[in-house]
Amino acid sequence: MNSTLQLNPLVRVVAMLILGIALGDVLADVVGVRIWLGIFVVAVAAAFVAYNTNVRPMVQSLMLFGCIIIGGALRMSMSVERSHFYFIQTSEPFSAVVSSMPVERTKTLRCELTIADGRFAGHRVYAYLPKGKDANNISALSIGDGIVGYTQFLDIDDYSNQHGAYNIATHFDYQRWLKVHDIVARCFLRDGAWQRDVVQLDYLSGVQRVQLRCMTLREKLLKRYRELAISNEAYGVVAAMTLGDKSSLTAELRESFSVSGASHVLALSGLHLGILYALLVMFLGRRRHNILMLAFIIIAVWGYTAMVGMPLSLLRSAFMLTLFTFAQMLQRNNVSLNYLAFAALVLLLASPWSLWDVGFQMSFLAVLGILLFNDRLRVFVSHKYLETHPLVNWCFSMIVVSLSAQLMVAPLVAYYFGRFSCYFLLSNFIAIPLATVLIYLSVVMYALFFVPCLQGLVAIAVGWIAKVLTLSLAWVSSLPAASVDGIELSNVQLWLVYLVVAVVYALLFYLEKIYKPFDNFRPRV
């Protein structure tokens, strides 16, 4: 295991950064930004002096790790301070852009607004409107529309405290969820207090402006989906799997995917972006090593990521695919833990709150499991035998990859959702091939926009595959003992489970050194 860490130095850097972020979060109410900044300056100066006075390498390393920990605490403290606002008892002017479609609640409609000017510029707020038939109602708005008006902004933390900020059973922390998504306030927009208008986006970051424009494009593509001959249930699956819109998924459908262990197919992640990447590489053919073509792939990957709202799981995949593409330019095709660590490093520095996002945690742990366990679980099967039996190789690879990811993700699923899906292997054999075909056909469907009759035929095929997928997973979820529910893990128990996983990895690591029946195969990690 020491060699693994030595070959992947960024892993240790990210581990120290995570420790620092956690420390900054715990001490957020005690230690402010200025104090952390002062400590960080002193620590960097001490490390610089130690480096120039030939102090023992071990001491230099410890001082460097200390700087990273303090830097992580400083970055977390800055994020906490940035999310704190004062709230006044009167209405104030605002201009904003609609950044999510309205969601119907008991008595109101709710959507997210990205504030474009004023104290909350660059942040998101929840906007509530009473239901009504007024043409000016927010239900008639789309993502990217600008509105201006007057309203009183209220502290969203007070609302979350009143409605349960933390669920002990599921370990869901609503306040942290709001911080992760940069939602800092709430407001009520009454009739006559706002209107549509052109909003200047000068105070938004370049990333936010690009994201809003890309999400506007996504709404147009979703509208095109609705115009094609696809049933409502199939539309919900296709919209979620290709464009990241889960608003049309029914509760029964979500439960079916969850019980069968195929929820990851609905959540945009590395699986979906990897399929898109493979499709682009397949179209490029022999030109895939051309620098211009590789640059085109990177632009396409990031364009798609921006269009679907930049979920953290997809950002992780986009960073890793970008690094892999650059490695291809240098004729280095192996994916290492450094790729994963670099993606985590960038995302955590950009937003330390991401550390507590469930999608972020599951995405990184799934890939970590694949990188750590995949090759070591394969080492006891002849590589030559698998090469000469493609079908066996495909089935064995599917099993090993699924087990590798499940080893790291299953404890977290049990911790947050209290469930373990017993037939996840069977579900993956069904869901992943069908999802791959569905995404490929969806790309073809959009590419045929200039031939409506052919596009309609492809849309029928897409809807049919989505129907087969939902029926198959519904069957899996109906099998006896399809899932174990009601699991309750404490924080200590969760860490103990991962300690057991670490012991399993250590055993495989050392067993690999002893048992080498196939010298032609070596793990890459």
PDB file of all heavy atoms in Angstrom, residues 163-174 177 356 358 361-362 411-419 485-491 494:
ATOM      1  N   HIS A 163     -38.377  23.161  10.088  1.00  0.00           N
ATOM      2  CA  HIS A 163     -38.866  21.979   9.382  1.00  0.00           C
ATOM      3  C   HIS A 163     -37.912  20.783   9.478  1.00  0.00           C
ATOM      4  O   HIS A 163     -37.967  19.869   8.679  1.00  0.00           O
ATOM      5  CB  HIS A 163     -39.111  22.321   7.906  1.00  0.00           C
ATOM      6  CG  HIS A 163     -40.239  23.284   7.702  1.00  0.00           C
ATOM      7  ND1 HIS A 163     -40.113  24.622   7.978  1.00  0.00           N
ATOM      8  CD2 HIS A 163     -41.517  23.086   7.267  1.00  0.00           C
ATOM      9  CE1 HIS A 163     -41.265  25.229   7.703  1.00  0.00           C
ATOM     10  NE2 HIS A 163     -42.132  24.323   7.285  1.00  0.00           N
ATOM     11  N   GLY A 164     -37.026  20.839  10.452  1.00  0.00           N
ATOM     12  CA  GLY A 164     -36.141  19.681  10.672  1.00  0.00           C
ATOM     13  C   GLY A 164     -34.866  19.802   9.880  1.00  0.00           C
ATOM     14  O   GLY A 164     -34.814  19.431   8.722  1.00  0.00           O
ATOM     15  N   ALA A 165     -33.834  20.363  10.508  1.00  0.00           N
ATOM     16  CA  ALA A 165     -32.578  20.589   9.795  1.00  0.00           C
ATOM     17  C   ALA A 165     -31.789  19.300   9.615  1.00  0.00           C
ATOM     18  O   ALA A 165     -31.030  19.157   8.673  1.00  0.00           O
ATOM     19  CB  ALA A 165     -31.721  21.613  10.540  1.00  0.00           C
ATOM     20  N   TYR A 166     -31.995  18.352  10.506  1.00  0.00           N
ATOM     21  CA  TYR A 166     -31.213  17.109  10.429  1.00  0.00           C
ATOM     22  C   TYR A 166     -32.117  15.934  10.738  1.00  0.00           C
ATOM     23  O   TYR A 166     -32.818  15.923  11.757  1.00  0.00           O
ATOM     24  CB  TYR A 166     -30.045  17.153  11.422  1.00  0.00           C
ATOM     25  CG  TYR A 166     -29.129  15.958  11.324  1.00  0.00           C
ATOM     26  CD1 TYR A 166     -28.160  15.896  10.330  1.00  0.00           C
ATOM     27  CD2 TYR A 166     -29.237  14.894  12.213  1.00  0.00           C
ATOM     28  CE1 TYR A 166     -27.312  14.796  10.222  1.00  0.00           C
ATOM     29  CE2 TYR A 166     -28.397  13.801  12.117  1.00  0.00           C
ATOM     30  CZ  TYR A 166     -27.437  13.759  11.128  1.00  0.00           C
ATOM     31  OH  TYR A 166     -26.617  12.679  11.033  1.00  0.00           O
ATOM     32  N   ASN A 167     -32.105  14.952   9.860  1.00  0.00           N
ATOM     33  CA  ASN A 167     -32.893  13.734  10.045  1.00  0.00           C
ATOM     34  C   ASN A 167     -31.964  12.654  10.577  1.00  0.00           C
ATOM     35  O   ASN A 167     -31.066  12.191   9.868  1.00  0.00           O
ATOM     36  CB  ASN A 167     -33.520  13.313   8.703  1.00  0.00           C
ATOM     37  CG  ASN A 167     -34.504  12.172   8.870  1.00  0.00           C
ATOM     38  OD1 ASN A 167     -34.244  11.215   9.571  1.00  0.00           O
ATOM     39  ND2 ASN A 167     -35.641  12.283   8.211  1.00  0.00           N
ATOM     40  N   ILE A 168     -32.180  12.254  11.822  1.00  0.00           N
ATOM     41  CA  ILE A 168     -31.284  11.282  12.458  1.00  0.00           C
ATOM     42  C   ILE A 168     -31.336   9.933  11.749  1.00  0.00           C
ATOM     43  O   ILE A 168     -30.319   9.259  11.581  1.00  0.00           O
ATOM     44  CB  ILE A 168     -31.648  11.119  13.948  1.00  0.00           C
ATOM     45  CG1 ILE A 168     -31.443  12.446  14.684  1.00  0.00           C
ATOM     46  CG2 ILE A 168     -30.819  10.021  14.592  1.00  0.00           C
ATOM     47  CD1 ILE A 168     -31.838  12.424  16.140  1.00  0.00           C
ATOM     48  N   ALA A 169     -32.524   9.534  11.310  1.00  0.00           N
ATOM     49  CA  ALA A 169     -32.678   8.214  10.687  1.00  0.00           C
ATOM     50  C   ALA A 169     -31.893   8.107   9.387  1.00  0.00           C
ATOM     51  O   ALA A 169     -31.280   7.077   9.099  1.00  0.00           O
ATOM     52  CB  ALA A 169     -34.157   7.931  10.438  1.00  0.00           C
ATOM     53  N   THR A 170     -31.912   9.170   8.572  1.00  0.00           N
ATOM     54  CA  THR A 170     -31.249   9.122   7.265  1.00  0.00           C
ATOM     55  C   THR A 170     -29.941   9.905   7.233  1.00  0.00           C
ATOM     56  O   THR A 170     -29.257   9.902   6.219  1.00  0.00           O
ATOM     57  CB  THR A 170     -32.178   9.683   6.181  1.00  0.00           C
ATOM     58  OG1 THR A 170     -32.454  11.069   6.465  1.00  0.00           O
ATOM     59  CG2 THR A 170     -33.479   8.910   6.116  1.00  0.00           C
ATOM     60  N   HIS A 171     -29.620  10.592   8.349  1.00  0.00           N
ATOM     61  CA  HIS A 171     -28.411  11.420   8.420  1.00  0.00           C
ATOM     62  C   HIS A 171     -28.427  12.530   7.362  1.00  0.00           C
ATOM     63  O   HIS A 171     -27.364  12.980   6.925  1.00  0.00           O
ATOM     64  CB  HIS A 171     -27.145  10.555   8.256  1.00  0.00           C
ATOM     65  CG  HIS A 171     -27.011   9.487   9.270  1.00  0.00           C
ATOM     66  ND1 HIS A 171     -26.585   9.714  10.552  1.00  0.00           N
ATOM     67  CD2 HIS A 171     -27.271   8.150   9.200  1.00  0.00           C
ATOM     68  CE1 HIS A 171     -26.568   8.578  11.235  1.00  0.00           C
ATOM     69  NE2 HIS A 171     -26.992   7.613  10.443  1.00  0.00           N
ATOM     70  N   PHE A 172     -29.624  12.926   6.959  1.00  0.00           N
ATOM     71  CA  PHE A 172     -29.726  13.998   5.962  1.00  0.00           C
ATOM     72  C   PHE A 172     -29.733  15.345   6.674  1.00  0.00           C
ATOM     73  O   PHE A 172     -30.619  15.637   7.479  1.00  0.00           O
ATOM     74  CB  PHE A 172     -30.991  13.847   5.119  1.00  0.00           C
ATOM     75  CG  PHE A 172     -31.182  14.960   4.114  1.00  0.00           C
ATOM     76  CD1 PHE A 172     -30.354  15.055   3.009  1.00  0.00           C
ATOM     77  CD2 PHE A 172     -32.177  15.911   4.289  1.00  0.00           C
ATOM     78  CE1 PHE A 172     -30.524  16.073   2.090  1.00  0.00           C
ATOM     79  CE2 PHE A 172     -32.355  16.938   3.370  1.00  0.00           C
ATOM     80  CZ  PHE A 172     -31.521  17.017   2.261  1.00  0.00           C
ATOM     81  N   ASP A 173     -28.754  16.175   6.351  1.00  0.00           N
ATOM     82  CA  ASP A 173     -28.619  17.506   6.946  1.00  0.00           C
ATOM     83  C   ASP A 173     -29.092  18.534   5.925  1.00  0.00           C
ATOM     84  O   ASP A 173     -28.393  18.838   4.958  1.00  0.00           O
ATOM     85  CB  ASP A 173     -27.160  17.759   7.339  1.00  0.00           C
ATOM     86  CG  ASP A 173     -27.002  18.999   8.205  1.00  0.00           C
ATOM     87  OD1 ASP A 173     -27.818  19.926   8.065  1.00  0.00           O
ATOM     88  OD2 ASP A 173     -26.063  19.033   9.013  1.00  0.00           O
ATOM     89  N   TYR A 174     -30.291  19.068   6.133  1.00  0.00           N
ATOM     90  CA  TYR A 174     -30.892  19.986   5.163  1.00  0.00           C
ATOM     91  C   TYR A 174     -30.088  21.283   5.053  1.00  0.00           C
ATOM     92  O   TYR A 174     -29.925  21.831   3.958  1.00  0.00           O
ATOM     93  CB  TYR A 174     -32.335  20.290   5.572  1.00  0.00           C
ATOM     94  CG  TYR A 174     -33.092  21.128   4.569  1.00  0.00           C
ATOM     95  CD1 TYR A 174     -33.191  20.739   3.239  1.00  0.00           C
ATOM     96  CD2 TYR A 174     -33.724  22.304   4.958  1.00  0.00           C
ATOM     97  CE1 TYR A 174     -33.886  21.500   2.314  1.00  0.00           C
ATOM     98  CE2 TYR A 174     -34.425  23.070   4.044  1.00  0.00           C
ATOM     99  CZ  TYR A 174     -34.501  22.666   2.727  1.00  0.00           C
ATOM    100  OH  TYR A 174     -35.189  23.430   1.819  1.00  0.00           O
ATOM    101  N   TRP A 177     -27.170  20.676   2.914  1.00  0.00           N
ATOM    102  CA  TRP A 177     -27.617  20.536   1.525  1.00  0.00           C
ATOM    103  C   TRP A 177     -27.823  21.902   0.881  1.00  0.00           C
ATOM    104  O   TRP A 177     -27.444  22.118  -0.272  1.00  0.00           O
ATOM    105  CB  TRP A 177     -28.906  19.724   1.489  1.00  0.00           C
ATOM    106  CG  TRP A 177     -29.382  19.403   0.108  1.00  0.00           C
ATOM    107  CD1 TRP A 177     -29.069  18.299  -0.630  1.00  0.00           C
ATOM    108  CD2 TRP A 177     -30.246  20.192  -0.716  1.00  0.00           C
ATOM    109  NE1 TRP A 177     -29.676  18.346  -1.867  1.00  0.00           N
ATOM    110  CE2 TRP A 177     -30.405  19.495  -1.946  1.00  0.00           C
ATOM    111  CE3 TRP A 177     -30.896  21.408  -0.536  1.00  0.00           C
ATOM    112  CZ2 TRP A 177     -31.191  19.990  -2.978  1.00  0.00           C
ATOM    113  CZ3 TRP A 177     -31.679  21.908  -1.571  1.00  0.00           C
ATOM    114  CH2 TRP A 177     -31.819  21.198  -2.772  1.00  0.00           C
ATOM    115  N   TRP A 356     -19.704  17.537   1.708  1.00  0.00           N
ATOM    116  CA  TRP A 356     -20.871  16.948   2.369  1.00  0.00           C
ATOM    117  C   TRP A 356     -22.000  16.656   1.379  1.00  0.00           C
ATOM    118  O   TRP A 356     -23.109  16.328   1.796  1.00  0.00           O
ATOM    119  CB  TRP A 356     -21.373  17.889   3.466  1.00  0.00           C
ATOM    120  CG  TRP A 356     -20.448  17.893   4.638  1.00  0.00           C
ATOM    121  CD1 TRP A 356     -20.412  16.997   5.676  1.00  0.00           C
ATOM    122  CD2 TRP A 356     -19.375  18.813   4.885  1.00  0.00           C
ATOM    123  NE1 TRP A 356     -19.400  17.312   6.544  1.00  0.00           N
ATOM    124  CE2 TRP A 356     -18.745  18.423   6.096  1.00  0.00           C
ATOM    125  CE3 TRP A 356     -18.894  19.937   4.225  1.00  0.00           C
ATOM    126  CZ2 TRP A 356     -17.669  19.115   6.638  1.00  0.00           C
ATOM    127  CZ3 TRP A 356     -17.823  20.624   4.758  1.00  0.00           C
ATOM    128  CH2 TRP A 356     -17.217  20.208   5.948  1.00  0.00           C
ATOM    129  N   VAL A 358     -23.920  14.259  -1.006  1.00  0.00           N
ATOM    130  CA  VAL A 358     -24.017  12.801  -1.113  1.00  0.00           C
ATOM    131  C   VAL A 358     -23.556  12.328  -2.490  1.00  0.00           C
ATOM    132  O   VAL A 358     -22.848  11.314  -2.619  1.00  0.00           O
ATOM    133  CB  VAL A 358     -25.461  12.335  -0.843  1.00  0.00           C
ATOM    134  CG1 VAL A 358     -25.567  10.815  -1.011  1.00  0.00           C
ATOM    135  CG2 VAL A 358     -25.898  12.736   0.556  1.00  0.00           C
ATOM    136  N   GLN A 361     -19.752  12.376  -2.625  1.00  0.00           N
ATOM    137  CA  GLN A 361     -19.164  11.276  -1.855  1.00  0.00           C
ATOM    138  C   GLN A 361     -19.298   9.951  -2.591  1.00  0.00           C
ATOM    139  O   GLN A 361     -18.335   9.183  -2.703  1.00  0.00           O
ATOM    140  CB  GLN A 361     -19.835  11.205  -0.487  1.00  0.00           C
ATOM    141  CG  GLN A 361     -19.580  12.411   0.398  1.00  0.00           C
ATOM    142  CD  GLN A 361     -20.409  12.373   1.668  1.00  0.00           C
ATOM    143  OE1 GLN A 361     -21.117  11.406   1.948  1.00  0.00           O
ATOM    144  NE2 GLN A 361     -20.349  13.446   2.446  1.00  0.00           N
ATOM    145  N   MET A 362     -20.494   9.669  -3.100  1.00  0.00           N
ATOM    146  CA  MET A 362     -20.718   8.385  -3.765  1.00  0.00           C
ATOM    147  C   MET A 362     -19.941   8.280  -5.065  1.00  0.00           C
ATOM    148  O   MET A 362     -19.397   7.218  -5.395  1.00  0.00           O
ATOM    149  CB  MET A 362     -22.215   8.190  -4.023  1.00  0.00           C
ATOM    150  CG  MET A 362     -23.015   7.928  -2.774  1.00  0.00           C
ATOM    151  SD  MET A 362     -24.715   7.457  -3.139  1.00  0.00           S
ATOM    152  CE  MET A 362     -25.331   7.145  -1.482  1.00  0.00           C
ATOM    153  N   PRO A 411     -21.758   0.876   1.972  1.00  0.00           N
ATOM    154  CA  PRO A 411     -21.874   1.402   3.343  1.00  0.00           C
ATOM    155  C   PRO A 411     -22.489   2.801   3.389  1.00  0.00           C
ATOM    156  O   PRO A 411     -23.274   3.103   4.291  1.00  0.00           O
ATOM    157  CB  PRO A 411     -20.414   1.421   3.830  1.00  0.00           C
ATOM    158  CG  PRO A 411     -19.721   0.400   2.994  1.00  0.00           C
ATOM    159  CD  PRO A 411     -20.371   0.479   1.655  1.00  0.00           C
ATOM    160  N   LEU A 412     -22.159   3.632   2.403  1.00  0.00           N
ATOM    161  CA  LEU A 412     -22.695   4.992   2.371  1.00  0.00           C
ATOM    162  C   LEU A 412     -24.189   4.991   2.038  1.00  0.00           C
ATOM    163  O   LEU A 412     -24.956   5.775   2.594  1.00  0.00           O
ATOM    164  CB  LEU A 412     -21.928   5.828   1.344  1.00  0.00           C
ATOM    165  CG  LEU A 412     -21.820   7.330   1.632  1.00  0.00           C
ATOM    166  CD1 LEU A 412     -21.106   7.563   2.949  1.00  0.00           C
ATOM    167  CD2 LEU A 412     -21.081   8.030   0.502  1.00  0.00           C
ATOM    168  N   VAL A 413     -24.608   4.092   1.132  1.00  0.00           N
ATOM    169  CA  VAL A 413     -26.033   3.964   0.804  1.00  0.00           C
ATOM    170  C   VAL A 413     -26.809   3.518   2.042  1.00  0.00           C
ATOM    171  O   VAL A 413     -27.894   4.036   2.346  1.00  0.00           O
ATOM    172  CB  VAL A 413     -26.231   2.972  -0.361  1.00  0.00           C
ATOM    173  CG1 VAL A 413     -27.720   2.708  -0.586  1.00  0.00           C
ATOM    174  CG2 VAL A 413     -25.609   3.513  -1.636  1.00  0.00           C
ATOM    175  N   ALA A 414     -26.272   2.545   2.769  1.00  0.00           N
ATOM    176  CA  ALA A 414     -26.922   2.085   3.999  1.00  0.00           C
ATOM    177  C   ALA A 414     -26.980   3.200   5.036  1.00  0.00           C
ATOM    178  O   ALA A 414     -27.973   3.333   5.771  1.00  0.00           O
ATOM    179  CB  ALA A 414     -26.179   0.875   4.554  1.00  0.00           C
ATOM    180  N   TYR A 415     -25.946   4.016   5.104  1.00  0.00           N
ATOM    181  CA  TYR A 415     -25.875   5.109   6.084  1.00  0.00           C
ATOM    182  C   TYR A 415     -26.914   6.187   5.794  1.00  0.00           C
ATOM    183  O   TYR A 415     -27.617   6.652   6.704  1.00  0.00           O
ATOM    184  CB  TYR A 415     -24.465   5.693   6.050  1.00  0.00           C
ATOM    185  CG  TYR A 415     -24.239   6.878   6.954  1.00  0.00           C
ATOM    186  CD1 TYR A 415     -24.074   6.717   8.330  1.00  0.00           C
ATOM    187  CD2 TYR A 415     -24.168   8.172   6.439  1.00  0.00           C
ATOM    188  CE1 TYR A 415     -23.850   7.803   9.156  1.00  0.00           C
ATOM    189  CE2 TYR A 415     -23.942   9.267   7.259  1.00  0.00           C
ATOM    190  CZ  TYR A 415     -23.792   9.075   8.620  1.00  0.00           C
ATOM    191  OH  TYR A 415     -23.569  10.157   9.439  1.00  0.00           O
ATOM    192  N   TYR A 416     -27.020   6.584   4.520  1.00  0.00           N
ATOM    193  CA  TYR A 416     -27.933   7.680   4.165  1.00  0.00           C
ATOM    194  C   TYR A 416     -29.361   7.221   3.897  1.00  0.00           C
ATOM    195  O   TYR A 416     -30.317   7.929   4.214  1.00  0.00           O
ATOM    196  CB  TYR A 416     -27.412   8.416   2.930  1.00  0.00           C
ATOM    197  CG  TYR A 416     -26.268   9.358   3.198  1.00  0.00           C
ATOM    198  CD1 TYR A 416     -25.020   9.156   2.611  1.00  0.00           C
ATOM    199  CD2 TYR A 416     -26.424  10.447   4.041  1.00  0.00           C
ATOM    200  CE1 TYR A 416     -23.971  10.019   2.853  1.00  0.00           C
ATOM    201  CE2 TYR A 416     -25.364  11.309   4.306  1.00  0.00           C
ATOM    202  CZ  TYR A 416     -24.144  11.094   3.696  1.00  0.00           C
ATOM    203  OH  TYR A 416     -23.097  11.947   3.947  1.00  0.00           O
ATOM    204  N   PHE A 417     -29.517   6.054   3.294  1.00  0.00           N
ATOM    205  CA  PHE A 417     -30.845   5.623   2.861  1.00  0.00           C
ATOM    206  C   PHE A 417     -31.350   4.380   3.580  1.00  0.00           C
ATOM    207  O   PHE A 417     -32.493   3.962   3.361  1.00  0.00           O
ATOM    208  CB  PHE A 417     -30.830   5.363   1.343  1.00  0.00           C
ATOM    209  CG  PHE A 417     -30.318   6.524   0.551  1.00  0.00           C
ATOM    210  CD1 PHE A 417     -29.068   6.477  -0.053  1.00  0.00           C
ATOM    211  CD2 PHE A 417     -31.077   7.672   0.418  1.00  0.00           C
ATOM    212  CE1 PHE A 417     -28.581   7.552  -0.778  1.00  0.00           C
ATOM    213  CE2 PHE A 417     -30.597   8.753  -0.310  1.00  0.00           C
ATOM    214  CZ  PHE A 417     -29.351   8.702  -0.903  1.00  0.00           C
ATOM    215  N   GLY A 418     -30.522   3.770   4.428  1.00  0.00           N
ATOM    216  CA  GLY A 418     -30.959   2.614   5.202  1.00  0.00           C
ATOM    217  C   GLY A 418     -31.316   1.410   4.363  1.00  0.00           C
ATOM    218  O   GLY A 418     -32.192   0.625   4.732  1.00  0.00           O
ATOM    219  N   ARG A 419     -30.659   1.238   3.230  1.00  0.00           N
ATOM    220  CA  ARG A 419     -31.032   0.160   2.303  1.00  0.00           C
ATOM    221  C   ARG A 419     -29.798  -0.491   1.696  1.00  0.00           C
ATOM    222  O   ARG A 419     -28.805   0.180   1.413  1.00  0.00           O
ATOM    223  CB  ARG A 419     -31.927   0.718   1.211  1.00  0.00           C
ATOM    224  CG  ARG A 419     -32.159  -0.213   0.021  1.00  0.00           C
ATOM    225  CD  ARG A 419     -33.195   0.365  -0.926  1.00  0.00           C
ATOM    226  NE  ARG A 419     -34.531   0.288  -0.344  1.00  0.00           N
ATOM    227  CZ  ARG A 419     -35.585   0.950  -0.813  1.00  0.00           C
ATOM    228  NH1 ARG A 419     -35.438   1.757  -1.847  1.00  0.00           N
ATOM    229  NH2 ARG A 419     -36.767   0.813  -0.237  1.00  0.00           N
ATOM    230  N   ASP A 485     -34.027  -3.349   4.123  1.00  0.00           N
ATOM    231  CA  ASP A 485     -34.383  -1.984   4.487  1.00  0.00           C
ATOM    232  C   ASP A 485     -34.311  -1.779   5.998  1.00  0.00           C
ATOM    233  O   ASP A 485     -34.218  -2.743   6.772  1.00  0.00           O
ATOM    234  CB  ASP A 485     -35.792  -1.654   3.979  1.00  0.00           C
ATOM    235  CG  ASP A 485     -35.882  -1.675   2.461  1.00  0.00           C
ATOM    236  OD1 ASP A 485     -34.983  -1.110   1.818  1.00  0.00           O
ATOM    237  OD2 ASP A 485     -36.838  -2.270   1.923  1.00  0.00           O
ATOM    238  N   GLY A 486     -34.359  -0.516   6.390  1.00  0.00           N
ATOM    239  CA  GLY A 486     -34.354  -0.192   7.817  1.00  0.00           C
ATOM    240  C   GLY A 486     -32.996  -0.287   8.472  1.00  0.00           C
ATOM    241  O   GLY A 486     -32.898  -0.388   9.700  1.00  0.00           O
ATOM    242  N   ILE A 487     -31.926  -0.253   7.663  1.00  0.00           N
ATOM    243  CA  ILE A 487     -30.566  -0.301   8.228  1.00  0.00           C
ATOM    244  C   ILE A 487     -30.254   1.032   8.898  1.00  0.00           C
ATOM    245  O   ILE A 487     -30.493   2.097   8.318  1.00  0.00           O
ATOM    246  CB  ILE A 487     -29.528  -0.598   7.132  1.00  0.00           C
ATOM    247  CG1 ILE A 487     -29.856  -1.930   6.444  1.00  0.00           C
ATOM    248  CG2 ILE A 487     -28.124  -0.620   7.720  1.00  0.00           C
ATOM    249  CD1 ILE A 487     -28.976  -2.202   5.242  1.00  0.00           C
ATOM    250  N   GLU A 488     -29.732   0.995  10.086  1.00  0.00           N
ATOM    251  CA  GLU A 488     -29.348   2.217  10.799  1.00  0.00           C
ATOM    252  C   GLU A 488     -27.884   2.108  11.213  1.00  0.00           C
ATOM    253  O   GLU A 488     -27.512   1.262  12.018  1.00  0.00           O
ATOM    254  CB  GLU A 488     -30.239   2.435  12.021  1.00  0.00           C
ATOM    255  CG  GLU A 488     -31.697   2.732  11.675  1.00  0.00           C
ATOM    256  CD  GLU A 488     -32.521   3.061  12.899  1.00  0.00           C
ATOM    257  OE1 GLU A 488     -31.932   3.222  13.984  1.00  0.00           O
ATOM    258  OE2 GLU A 488     -33.763   3.151  12.779  1.00  0.00           O
ATOM    259  N   LEU A 489     -27.077   2.975  10.632  1.00  0.00           N
ATOM    260  CA  LEU A 489     -25.649   3.016  10.946  1.00  0.00           C
ATOM    261  C   LEU A 489     -25.313   4.344  11.613  1.00  0.00           C
ATOM    262  O   LEU A 489     -25.704   5.409  11.117  1.00  0.00           O
ATOM    263  CB  LEU A 489     -24.808   2.863   9.677  1.00  0.00           C
ATOM    264  CG  LEU A 489     -24.763   1.498   8.991  1.00  0.00           C
ATOM    265  CD1 LEU A 489     -23.881   1.570   7.741  1.00  0.00           C
ATOM    266  CD2 LEU A 489     -24.225   0.431   9.933  1.00  0.00           C
ATOM    267  N   SER A 490     -24.615   4.289  12.711  1.00  0.00           N
ATOM    268  CA  SER A 490     -24.119   5.513  13.341  1.00  0.00           C
ATOM    269  C   SER A 490     -22.831   5.933  12.642  1.00  0.00           C
ATOM    270  O   SER A 490     -22.276   5.186  11.817  1.00  0.00           O
ATOM    271  CB  SER A 490     -23.857   5.271  14.821  1.00  0.00           C
ATOM    272  OG  SER A 490     -22.792   4.332  14.985  1.00  0.00           O
ATOM    273  N   ASN A 491     -22.340   7.104  12.984  1.00  0.00           N
ATOM    274  CA  ASN A 491     -21.085   7.574  12.395  1.00  0.00           C
ATOM    275  C   ASN A 491     -19.933   6.631  12.715  1.00  0.00           C
ATOM    276  O   ASN A 491     -19.098   6.319  11.846  1.00  0.00           O
ATOM    277  CB  ASN A 491     -20.762   8.987  12.899  1.00  0.00           C
ATOM    278  CG  ASN A 491     -21.755  10.022  12.408  1.00  0.00           C
ATOM    279  OD1 ASN A 491     -22.357   9.845  11.349  1.00  0.00           O
ATOM    280  ND2 ASN A 491     -21.937  11.084  13.168  1.00  0.00           N
ATOM    281  N   LEU A 494     -20.216   3.441  10.702  1.00  0.00           N
ATOM    282  CA  LEU A 494     -19.829   3.654   9.304  1.00  0.00           C
ATOM    283  C   LEU A 494     -18.314   3.599   9.150  1.00  0.00           C
ATOM    284  O   LEU A 494     -17.796   2.944   8.231  1.00  0.00           O
ATOM    285  CB  LEU A 494     -20.361   5.003   8.815  1.00  0.00           C
ATOM    286  CG  LEU A 494     -20.009   5.371   7.361  1.00  0.00           C
ATOM    287  CD1 LEU A 494     -20.692   4.421   6.385  1.00  0.00           C
ATOM    288  CD2 LEU A 494     -20.392   6.816   7.054  1.00  0.00           C
TER     289      LEU A 494
END
